[in-house]
Amino acid sequence: QVRLVESGGGSVQTGGSLRLSCVASGSTYRTYCMGWFRQPPGKEREGVAGIDKDERITYTDSVKGRFTISQDNAKNTLFLEMNSLQPEDTATYYCAADLGNWACKSLDWTQFSIRGKGTQVTVSS
């Protein structure tokens, strides 16, 4: 089973940028669809972006045009480039994976069977 470790979180001001990374180890990376979900303080978890095994990409509406998901298959690494950050983007961001494609297409975080421990992103106004 793949193991996921996120990095790259931090604190930025409104309008700033961050790049999250997620290194996958322990299994064949291309076997999984990969994605990101987040949990804002005091709120429910929500899917952010997913890239399926055919490399088709899905974003939640609130991040379209600002966030970019990508991957480096040679390095078993998933990225989330976040630009024009807003205070409402403040959350713990989790990297996630699943053997099926549905989690990445639907961005239903409950469908991701493998999850990292998360990295904190804080955006101040």
Side-chain angles (χ1 to χ4, degrees), residues 87-123:
E88 52 265 35
D89 295 315
T90 295
T92 302
Y93 284 73
Y94 299 89
C95 177
D98 196 75
L99 288 170
N101 267 339
W102 179 242
C104 293
K105 292 175 181 288
S106 66
L107 297 183
D108 179 350
W109 70 269
T110 65
Q111 299 301 307
F112 285 105
S113 56
I114 303 165
R115 306 160 191 173
K117 293 184 177 181
T119 186
Q120 179 66 36
V121 171
T122 302
V123 185

Side-chain angles (χ1 to χ4, degrees), residues 27-72:
S27 188
T28 305
Y29 180 78
R30 288 297 304 271
T31 304
Y32 297 85
C33 90
M34 302 292 296
W36 295 91
F37 66 92
R38 64 188 180 184
Q39 185 165 23
K43 296 185 179 180
E44 298 289 320
R45 293 179 177 184
E46 60 176 354
V48 175
I51 182 165
D52 71 18
K53 290 184 281 187
D54 298 312
E55 301 198 5
R56 291 170 294 200
I57 291 173
T58 303
Y59 295 102
T60 193
D61 286 346
S62 64
V63 308
K64 286 179 180 177
R66 301 189 298 122
F67 290 12
T68 302
I69 188 172
S70 62
Q71 59 188 0
D72 183 336

Side-chain angles (χ1 to χ4, degrees), residues 6 17-20 48 55 58 75-76 80 105 107:
E6 306 96 335
S17 299
L18 285 172
R19 188 192 199 201
L20 305 184
V48 175
E55 301 198 5
T58 303
K75 296 182 179 180
N76 288 1
L80 186 68
K105 292 175 181 288
L107 297 183

